[in-house]
Amino acid sequence: MSTATEQPLTRTRVPGRISVIIPAMNQQDYIGDALASLARQQLGERELEVLVVDDASTDATAAITAEFSARIPGLKVITHPVNRGVSAARNSGLENASGEFVVFLDPDDWFAPTHLAQLADGLQELGVDFVRCDHVRVTGGNRAVHRAPQVNRHQALDPGDDINPIHTSSMIDYPFVWAGMYRGSMLETAAPRFDEALRTCEDRAWMWELSLNATNYAIINAPGVFYRRGLPGSLTQVFDERQLDFIDAYTQILDLTLSKEKHQVHAPKALRQFMAVSCHHLKRSGEFPAELRALLRTRLAERLAQIPAPLLVDALELLDAPRRKMLSALYDPAAKKDSK
């Protein structure tokens, strides 16, 4: 096992090498399972590079990781002296990854033994920029396969085409960056970095950029990533200002779709996603501290006021009545429409 600073180890892509990026902060209870699953990977002639980005852990995360140095020869540790968040940790991994292929793995999840080989085989056979896959959701002792919302499998597809339709689930509604494998060279241009200002919802902004910029992708029947849900301390369970980063994320996404004429067809989908996520947070805001609840409503009202009137009015009119009422209580679309 080697230890790296935040400086890139190399920008050379090694053919056949799979780089797995694991952002980790105080994950002593789970990271051993993640690393054990990587030690069991059946890769054939391919080799494995595992980049654990220790984001200023104060528990035994680093010590447990060090115990796997003999079992995973390609294990490297990148240490952040101060905590910088999951986006910065993934970026440090990307800056140091040398593999032809890149995979993300959260430290509380794990892979089936043939998972990486299946993804790499599919990516090479189809010659696409990236592949996506189904995953297994693990809630306590229960496991359930969650399928990616695209029925066409093992064929090259246009990721931009799979952003729509607006009113039903599409691949852009499946924003799990760890449910796939990506060509390292493609990531340098199509979706180069995670926004380090986003502490939550960073995966959605990254996936939108990737889908708009990559040339092609495919869905592989390889549900070999196991995703733990509902863990104590998860950001979805913690109610502080980080929960509101989705507003900044969707500001970026909407700006991205509206900035170029060729992307404007996707703006209604981006807005519908933003409205759905907004309503989700508004529904559960009764659990928020009063100050956070007020800030949520204020920031949503400000953001809705900035959306072009025709786009906003059309989107609100297509919502179901409860959600339309919820959002209209924050901002009167009729007033905006009449002012134009």
Side-chain angles (χ1 to χ4, degrees):
M1 179 182 72
S2 63
T3 300
T5 64
E6 294 171 44
Q7 297 301 314
L9 295 177
T10 177
R11 299 307 301 164
T12 302
R13 299 289 171 184
V14 179
R17 178 177 293 174
I18 301 172
S19 296
V20 181
I21 297 169
I22 305 178
M25 190 274 184
N26 291 346
Q27 292 291 326
Q28 64 180 14
D29 293 339
Y30 304 108
I31 195 165
D33 292 340
L35 293 171
S37 77
L38 293 174
R40 293 192 295 266
Q41 290 300 301
Q42 301 169 14
L43 298 178
E45 295 182 356
R46 299 186 181 96
E47 65 178 62
L48 188 64
E49 176 182 62
V50 177
L51 300 159
V52 175
V53 185
D54 184 357
D55 197 25
S57 295
T58 57
D59 66 357
T61 295
I64 293 170
T65 300
E67 293 174 359
F68 282 85
S69 59
R71 297 175 61 186
I72 306 176
L75 179 61
K76 301 178 178 71
V77 176
I78 303 165
T79 301
H80 286 178
V82 296
N83 180 260
R84 294 169 51 192
V86 66
S87 291
R90 285 180 177 151
N91 286 343
S92 290
L94 286 170
E95 289 160 6
N96 286 278
S98 63
E100 179 183 6
F101 307 128
V102 174
V103 174
F104 300 100
L105 176 62
D106 285 351
D108 49 7
D109 300 335
W110 71 94
F111 290 149
T114 61
H115 182 64
L116 294 179
Q118 286 181 287
L119 294 184
D121 286 346
L123 209 163
Q124 287 185 306
E125 290 169 9
L126 294 169
V128 292
D129 286 341
F130 64 100
V131 293
R132 306 293 309 284
C133 62
D134 307 324
H135 68 275
V136 179
R137 292 186 173 181
V138 181
T139 307
N142 298 321
R143 297 184 180 186
V145 175
H146 187 75
R147 289 179 60 81
Q150 168 58 269
V151 297
N152 297 311
R153 304 291 172 110
H154 212 75
Q155 59 181 278
L157 303 168
D158 185 328
D161 289 346
D162 280 1
I163 290 175
N164 288 331
I166 298 172
H167 305 302
T168 58
S169 183
S170 69
M171 284 303 297
I172 205 64
D173 299 302
Y174 191 77
F176 311 112
V177 299
W178 36 257
M181 178 178 284
Y182 313 88
R183 290 190 185 274
S185 57
M186 179 272 300
L187 291 183
E188 295 173 14
T189 55
R193 292 293 180 268
F194 291 89
D195 185 345
E196 296 184 13
L198 297 177
R199 297 156 295 181
T200 59
C201 212
E202 79 292 335
D203 48 358
R204 288 181 179 269
W206 190 86
M207 194 58 72
W208 266 91
E209 186 175 359
L210 177 67
S211 298
L212 289 172
N213 292 331
T215 301
N216 48 33
Y217 87 111
I219 308 294
I220 303 298
N221 288 321
V225 54
F226 293 80
Y227 164 53
R228 283 191 173 102
R229 300 189 70 198
L231 295 177
S234 167
L235 285 179
T236 60
Q237 310 295 317
V238 176
F239 299 136
D240 61 26
E241 196 170 340
R242 290 173 293 182
Q243 294 293 321
L244 307 190
D245 282 2
F246 79 92
I247 300 172
D248 294 328
Y250 274 102
T251 296
Q252 294 178 18
I253 293 167
L254 284 163
D255 288 348
L256 185 63
T257 58
L258 292 171
S259 64
K260 294 184 179 180
E261 184 175 355
K262 66 179 181 178
H263 295 333
Q264 289 175 4
V265 66
H266 301 304
K269 178 71 172 187
L271 181 54
R272 188 172 181 88
Q273 269 194 348
F274 174 55
M275 289 180 166
V277 175
S278 298
C279 289
H280 168 74
H281 283 282
L282 286 167
K283 286 179 182 178
R284 70 189 194 121
S285 64
E287 303 174 62
F288 291 4
E291 184 177 348
L292 182 63
R293 185 164 59 250
L295 183 60
L296 169 66
R297 298 179 67 85
T298 298
R299 291 198 58 201
L300 283 177
E302 291 172 349
R303 181 57 193 145
L304 290 170
Q306 295 168 0
I307 294 171
L311 181 64
L312 176 63
V313 171
D314 289 348
L316 285 169
E317 288 177 352
L318 291 173
L319 286 179
D320 57 79
R323 289 193 291 182
R324 183 167 61 249
K325 181 179 179 180
M326 191 181 302
L327 293 174
S328 296
L330 299 178
Y331 189 83
D332 183 2
K336 179 164 184 161
K337 186 175 183 180
D338 293 342
S339 69
K340 298 295 180 180

